[in-house]
């Protein structure tokens, strides 16, 4: 048995432009880091593009997040400086903390 839903006609269009601008303006400033003489700047977590997860496969892919946030050249510099997966974890945890997220929490779930 199938049921069909009637389309509900909206009575108005609600613009979220002002609210979205307020949210963006309230984001924390980018964070400057230095590790092993490599300086880099991480943008606010919630400023990352919406399709990031699609491009890197999972937000758990810390290396992919770093490439997207910093660019391949900076990540290559980090690898050459001897950064380890443990270092990547330290960066991720501090970055999340500074952005009001619990460790391991994705930006998409942070507002809930």
């Amino acid at each position: 048995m199938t049921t069909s839903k009637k389309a509900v006609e909206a009575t108005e269009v609600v613009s979220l432009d002002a609210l979205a601008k307020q949210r963006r303006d309230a984001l924390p400033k980018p964070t400057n880091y230095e590790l092993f003489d490599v300086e880099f700047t991480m943008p606010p977590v919630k400023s990352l593009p919406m399709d990031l997860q699609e491009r890197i496969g999972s937000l758990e892919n810390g290396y992919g997040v770093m490439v997207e946030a910093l660019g391949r050249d900076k990540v290559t510099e980090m690898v050459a400086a001897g950064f380890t997966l443990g270092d990547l974890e330290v960066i991720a945890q501090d970055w999340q903390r500074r952005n009001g997220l619990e460790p391991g929490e994705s930006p998409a779930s942070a507002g809930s």
Side-chain angles (χ1 to χ4, degrees), residues 40 42 48 52 56-71 75 78-79 83-93 95-96:
F40 55 99
M42 295 297 290
L48 295 173
L52 176 69
I56 65 170
S58 167
L59 293 176
E60 297 295 318
N61 175 356
Y63 184 85
V65 171
M66 295 296 277
V67 169
E68 289 292 327
L70 301 175
V75 172
M78 296 164 118
V79 170
F83 281 42
T84 66
L85 292 176
D87 299 329
L88 183 60
E89 187 175 282
V90 168
I91 295 165
Q93 287 174 347
W95 185 46
Q96 289 173 336

Side-chain angles (χ1 to χ4, degrees), residues 18-35:
L19 182 58
K21 183 181 181 327
Q22 286 176 341
R23 284 272 177 105
R24 288 179 182 204
D25 291 347
L27 289 174
K29 299 294 181 213
T31 303
N32 298 314
Y33 290 100
E34 182 273 325
L35 181 62

